[in-house]
Amino acid sequence: MADMTGTVEAPQPGRYNLPGPPPRPRSQLVATGFAVAAGAMAVAGALGHYMARRHLLNDPGHEWIAGHAVPNPQLVYALITLGVSVVTAHWAVWASGRGERGHTWVGMALTLVMGFAFFNMVMFSLNRMEIEIGSGEWATLAFAVTGLSLAIVMVGMFYLGLMTLRSLGGSVGRDRSTPLGAAVFFWDFAVLAWAATWYVVYVVK
């Protein structure tokens, strides 16, 4: 802007209401969606192979499980624990979107504690079953499919832990809780993957 003498005045910071930068795309949420899609295909393929072999070999003259006793109560408790962890995880996201840091941290802490409790119950159940690779086709396939689902749950817990640390640094609020929501989205998938594995391998057998 020029004054009466013709001198051009330099723009002063904050004098004009210029539009801010465009909002960043939710790249982390999109990447998490691709990871969920890839994991879902892996779980579906593993369970499909398991069911195909079970259908082929589970006949009156063949022992499919061959002496393995499935501890159903402990596995049911483990699934219930994961179900409750979904509630606490979504509570944390809800609190984060409203800037409630205390509720966010408590919800994520409870989610992670329940994740560790789930692992404890599942490992206890597997030790009781004495599943060994090579002792039979059911044992080998059950070990492989269960290991895949447990690996997905471990990745979900690691993801939740990272986003919890990020929230400790102040990443809360309506525009900053998307990374935590992406982690909870993956956690939902991990819980569904385990529920499908539990039903196919340890209920239907």
Side-chain angles (χ1 to χ4, degrees), residues 73-83 114 117-118 121-122 125 194:
Q74 288 81 4
L75 292 174
V76 171
Y77 298 151
L79 182 63
I80 293 174
T81 301
L82 275 189
M114 291 183 196
F118 160 78
M121 284 184 280
V122 171
S125 301
W194 171 256

Side-chain angles (χ1 to χ4, degrees), residues 182-199:
V184 173
F185 173 49
F186 188 89
W187 184 249
D188 292 339
F189 159 68
V191 173
L192 289 176
W194 171 256
T197 300
W198 166 78
Y199 180 76

Side-chain angles (χ1 to χ4, degrees), residues 19-62:
R24 296 179 61 186
R26 298 185 175 183
S27 56
Q28 182 174 340
L29 185 60
V30 174
T32 302
F34 281 114
V36 167
M41 288 187 288
V43 173
L47 292 178
H49 178 70
Y50 174 90
M51 289 187 290
R53 296 301 301 171
R54 182 190 64 196
H55 178 73
L56 181 63
L57 299 176
N58 194 14
D59 54 57
H62 184 81

Side-chain angles (χ1 to χ4, degrees), residues 83-158:
V84 176
S85 73
V86 171
V87 177
T88 57
H90 282 273
W91 169 37
V93 174
W94 177 86
S96 177
R98 286 155 181 79
E100 296 286 346
R101 294 188 180 182
H103 288 275
T104 301
W105 299 338
V106 171
M108 294 310 300
L110 289 175
T111 303
L112 293 173
V113 167
M114 291 183 196
F116 284 114
F118 160 78
F119 268 102
N120 184 43
M121 284 184 280
V122 171
M123 297 309 298
F124 172 79
S125 301
L126 295 179
N127 287 332
R128 285 191 59 189
M129 295 173 62
E130 297 181 353
I131 297 178
E132 296 180 1
I133 297 178
S135 61
E137 186 161 8
W138 179 84
T140 301
L141 291 177
F143 188 91
V145 177
T146 301
L148 175 62
S149 296
L150 290 178
I152 292 174
V153 174
M154 289 180 64
V155 172
M157 290 183 61
F158 181 73

